[in-house]
Amino acid sequence: MENKSEQADKPRKKGGRPLSFDREAALERAMLVFWRYGYEAASLSELTSAMGITPPSLYAAFGDKEQLFLEAVERYSTKRCDALQDMFAQAPTARDAIERLLQSSAVDNTCPSHPPGCLVVMAATNCSASAEHVQTVMTERRENIEGMITARIEQGIQEGELPTSIDAATLANFYAAVLQGMTMQARDTCDRDKLLAIASAAMRAWPVAKAVA
């Protein structure tokens, strides 16, 4: 049996080479590039330049461009979904929840600290057949948001805020379409007042429960 001194004399096995950059910060910067240009239009040189790394480092840390994009989307979506859940939980009614969602979208879509619009809506709308998996993932992300809206509207129906005749899925689809349209408007104009006006107009379509005689 080896004694401690003999064990100490043995060379230690080297582990994997540590990353020489802040991975989370690099991912955040990559997310902004994808947000601005979209998945396929974002070039490798633009990504590595923004991230402050070389292509080999990108591949070593993230795998490839698609995996980098999907990880960036996961980062973005997790933050947005967590914020949406908190917003819906704090809203006293379904109407208030949807109104807050539209208003916050108008503000976030035009925030100067990041590209206009929504990454999940804009980043993979027009892609080649080779990016089919990416498009599928983005569709699932959008459907997840719509599902959260549907659930909050269903809660409003159960609590008597909305008529039982309301189709929660259809109403949620309407407001999801408004959100996507606001993203397109933000990309074209970046006019916050205009988006807030759209949000106000959309809320006028909110159904009202009939008073019991």
Side-chain angles (χ1 to χ4, degrees), residues 61-101:
F62 299 99
D64 57 20
K65 179 182 174 182
E66 179 178 319
Q67 291 304 312
L68 172 63
F69 176 73
L70 294 177
E71 193 168 336
V73 169
E74 176 67 24
R75 180 185 184 88
Y76 176 93
S77 297
T78 298
K79 290 181 179 179
R80 296 309 186 274
C81 286
D82 288 348
L84 182 57
Q85 287 178 336
D86 290 342
M87 184 188 302
F88 280 6
Q90 294 171 13
T93 65
R95 187 190 190 285
D96 190 54
I98 302 306
E99 186 170 33
R100 291 184 187 185
L101 170 61

Side-chain angles (χ1 to χ4, degrees), residues 24-174:
E24 290 302 306
L27 181 59
E28 180 75 17
R29 291 192 288 268
M31 182 186 74
L32 294 175
V33 174
F34 285 126
W35 196 341
R36 182 174 301 281
Y37 298 108
Y39 170 62
E40 288 195 327
S43 69
L44 187 63
S45 61
E46 287 167 333
L47 287 166
T48 53
S49 177
M51 298 166 75
I53 62 176
T54 63
S57 294
L58 186 153
Y59 293 128
F62 299 99
D64 57 20
K65 179 182 174 182
E66 179 178 319
Q67 291 304 312
L68 172 63
F69 176 73
L70 294 177
E71 193 168 336
V73 169
E74 176 67 24
R75 180 185 184 88
Y76 176 93
S77 297
T78 298
K79 290 181 179 179
R80 296 309 186 274
C81 286
D82 288 348
L84 182 57
Q85 287 178 336
D86 290 342
M87 184 188 302
F88 280 6
Q90 294 171 13
T93 65
R95 187 190 190 285
D96 190 54
I98 302 306
E99 186 170 33
R100 291 184 187 185
L101 170 61
L102 295 180
Q103 290 176 344
S104 66
S105 179
V107 172
D108 191 58
N109 280 340
T110 55
C111 180
S113 66
H114 57 65
C118 170
L119 172 66
V120 172
V121 174
M122 301 299 302
T125 52
N126 294 310
C127 290
S128 63
S130 62
E132 182 178 358
H133 175 61
V134 167
Q135 289 182 303
T136 298
V137 170
M138 299 300 275
T139 297
E140 291 172 350
R141 295 289 184 181
R142 293 190 289 269
E143 289 175 344
N144 182 50
I145 296 297
E146 188 170 328
M148 295 172 68
I149 297 173
T150 301
R152 189 61 184 89
I153 292 173
E154 288 175 340
Q155 181 183 339
I157 295 173
Q158 294 169 0
E159 293 174 350
E161 176 194 349
L162 290 161
T164 56
S165 59
I166 291 297
D167 186 325
T170 299
L171 188 59
N173 183 257
F174 167 73

